[in-house]
């Protein structure tokens, strides 16, 4: 944790730390963020799918229980997240609009690599819940609300599960931020907006709407988002299949300890000085404390 990450050294936007009230919404990094790449890949995939590669891309990329689990084509749990209905640009447009609005907040909170893992895992959770409810609906024979009656070849496509996870994550990061609804155009706190959407998905799933499979995916994505934004350390190994972040963490701690012995200020000392600044102002610092803070700041910038 760097000195700019301490609770008492954050700005009011607070996107890098725990939930706080009154936080702002759109904080965008210069250049192409991971969230921007996700949006672009979704749009490019849609254009390819509806032009030169239809129906081939849908045939190999959509998620069905039969293909993903009976034929072990498990890549479909990822690829379905980048395909959208060829008959409706609205499906793609609303999902990408949601990512454009809410994605930057979550990416800034998690960092680019963990954000991509978070987004994909939320989509994967949506695909898994869709698959589980489909299997239960076809094997139990029970007429239970929420179970899906579609057959094992019913396809699932769309980024909605990942988007739901991102929105639920925003409700944790900045619950009291006010958002303006489009329909109806009224202001609402982000936590009410997010969990209202989740509640609507639950209702439509239980009511057996025409898009019950999609609602199952939305709910699965929301569950994934709720869990992983609170336990983001689980995201570390998503792209490091053959590694173990725990070993890396131990190695990092060892390197930090070595640097500390070489004269780098300890985190405890930096914390003490920043706490003093927060309570008494920077004018209260001694020359030695100012030098320590300056050295720690340079070390933090060097690691970045």
């Amino acid at each position: 944790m760097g000195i700019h990450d301490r609770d008492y050294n954050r700005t009011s936007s607070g996107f890098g730390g725990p939930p706080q009230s009154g936080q702002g919404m759109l904080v965008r990094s210069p250049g192409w963020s991971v969230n921007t790449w996700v949006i672009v890949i979704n749009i490019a995939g849609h254009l390819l799918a509806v032009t030169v590669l239809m129906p081939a891309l849908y045939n190999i990329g959509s998620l069905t229980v039969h293909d993903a689990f009976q034929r072990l084509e498990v890549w479909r749990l990822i690829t379905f997240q980048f395909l959208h209905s060829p008959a409706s640009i609205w499906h793609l447009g609303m999902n990408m609009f949601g990512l454009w609005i809410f994605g930057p907040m979550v990416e800034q909170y998690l960092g680019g690599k963990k954000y991509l893992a978070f987004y994909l895992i939320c989509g994967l959770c949506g695909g898994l819940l869709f698959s589980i409810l489909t299997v239960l609906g076809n094997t139990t024979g029970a007429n239970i609300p929420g179970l899906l009656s579609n057959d094992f070849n019913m396809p699932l496509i769309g980024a909605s599960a990942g988007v739901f996870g991102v929105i639920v994550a925003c409700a944790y990061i900045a619950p009291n931020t006010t958002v303006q609804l489009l329909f109806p155009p009224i202001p609402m706190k982000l936590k009410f907006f997010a969990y209202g959407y989740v509640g609507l998905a639950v209702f439509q799933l239980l009511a057996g709407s025409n898009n019950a499979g999609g609602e199952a995916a939305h709910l699965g994505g929301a569950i994934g988002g709720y869990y992983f934004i609170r336990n983001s350390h689980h995201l570390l190994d998503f792209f490091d299949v053959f590694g173990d972040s725990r070993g890396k963490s131990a190695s990092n701690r060892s390197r930090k300890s070595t640097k500390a012995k070489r004269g780098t200020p300890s985190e405890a000392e930096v914390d003490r000085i920043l706490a003093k600044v927060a309570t008494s102002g920077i004018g209260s610092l001694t020359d030695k404390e100012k030098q320590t803070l300056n050295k720690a700041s340079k070390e933090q910038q060097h690691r970045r």
Side-chain angles (χ1 to χ4, degrees):
M1 178 182 287
I3 64 172
H4 301 290
D5 298 319
R6 271 50 173 207
D7 291 339
Y8 39 75
N9 199 47
R10 293 191 181 107
T11 62
S12 61
S13 63
F15 293 151
Q20 300 177 26
S21 62
Q23 294 174 331
M25 267 296 293
L26 295 178
V27 175
R28 301 191 181 279
S29 302
W32 278 47
S33 65
V34 170
N35 190 66
T36 301
W37 276 110
V38 169
I39 293 173
V40 169
I41 292 171
N42 268 280
I43 294 173
H46 182 75
L47 293 176
L48 285 173
V50 300
T51 55
V52 296
L53 295 179
M54 191 171 73
L57 207 53
Y58 290 102
N59 289 339
I60 65 173
S62 61
L63 174 64
T64 70
V65 173
H66 172 72
D67 289 327
F69 298 100
Q70 292 181 293
R71 299 179 59 181
L72 299 181
E73 297 176 356
V74 293
W75 67 80
R76 294 174 180 269
L77 287 165
I78 299 296
T79 56
F80 89 92
Q81 303 177 40
F82 295 92
L83 296 173
H84 289 80
S85 171
S88 174
I89 193 66
W90 182 258
H91 185 205
L92 173 70
M94 290 304 295
N95 280 336
M96 296 306 99
F97 180 71
L99 278 183
W100 183 77
I101 292 294
F102 298 105
M105 181 191 296
V106 184
E107 181 175 354
Q108 185 165 351
Y109 181 85
L110 292 174
K113 188 175 181 180
K114 286 172 71 175
Y115 171 72
L116 181 58
F118 174 84
Y119 173 78
L120 294 175
I121 287 177
C122 288
L124 191 150
C125 288
L128 287 177
L129 186 59
F130 164 82
S131 301
I132 290 170
L133 295 181
T134 297
V135 170
L136 291 176
N138 282 273
T139 57
T140 63
N143 187 20
I144 300 175
L147 299 186
L148 302 178
S149 59
N150 49 265
D151 62 47
F152 290 169
N153 289 304
M154 178 66 68
L156 176 70
I157 55 174
S160 303
V163 175
F164 260 70
V166 167
I167 292 174
V168 168
C170 287
Y172 171 75
I173 297 168
N176 294 317
T177 292
T178 300
V179 295
Q180 182 77 27
L181 301 186
L182 296 178
F183 308 105
I186 59 174
M188 179 181 294
K189 286 188 176 181
L190 186 49
K191 59 185 176 182
F192 299 134
F193 171 81
Y195 295 123
Y197 254 81
V198 174
L200 182 61
V202 172
F203 172 78
Q204 292 183 329
L205 175 62
L206 296 177
S209 73
N210 292 332
N211 188 36
E215 302 302 343
H218 298 167
L219 182 57
I223 293 171
Y226 183 91
Y227 177 81
F228 284 102
I229 197 63
R230 290 166 172 78
N231 299 276
S232 60
H233 56 284
H234 292 315
L235 302 169
L236 291 174
D237 292 323
F238 184 79
F239 296 109
D240 193 7
V241 178
F242 301 106
D244 189 334
S245 62
R246 291 173 295 181
K248 294 178 183 177
S249 297
S251 176
N252 289 338
R253 286 195 297 270
S254 177
R255 286 196 295 270
K256 288 178 181 179
S257 176
T258 301
K259 288 182 179 180
K261 292 177 181 178
R262 293 175 181 172
T264 301
S266 67
E267 288 197 2
E269 176 65 8
V270 173
D271 281 341
R272 183 191 67 78
I273 296 173
L274 287 175
K276 184 177 180 180
V277 172
T279 56
S280 305
I282 197 168
S284 66
L285 299 183
T286 65
D287 289 340
K288 184 177 180 180
E289 287 172 332
K290 291 178 181 178
Q291 291 173 2
T292 299
L293 199 59
N294 184 51
K295 185 183 294 184
S297 179
K298 289 181 178 179
E299 177 64 26
Q300 176 69 14
Q301 291 174 0
H302 176 71
R303 286 200 296 269
R304 290 182 177 180

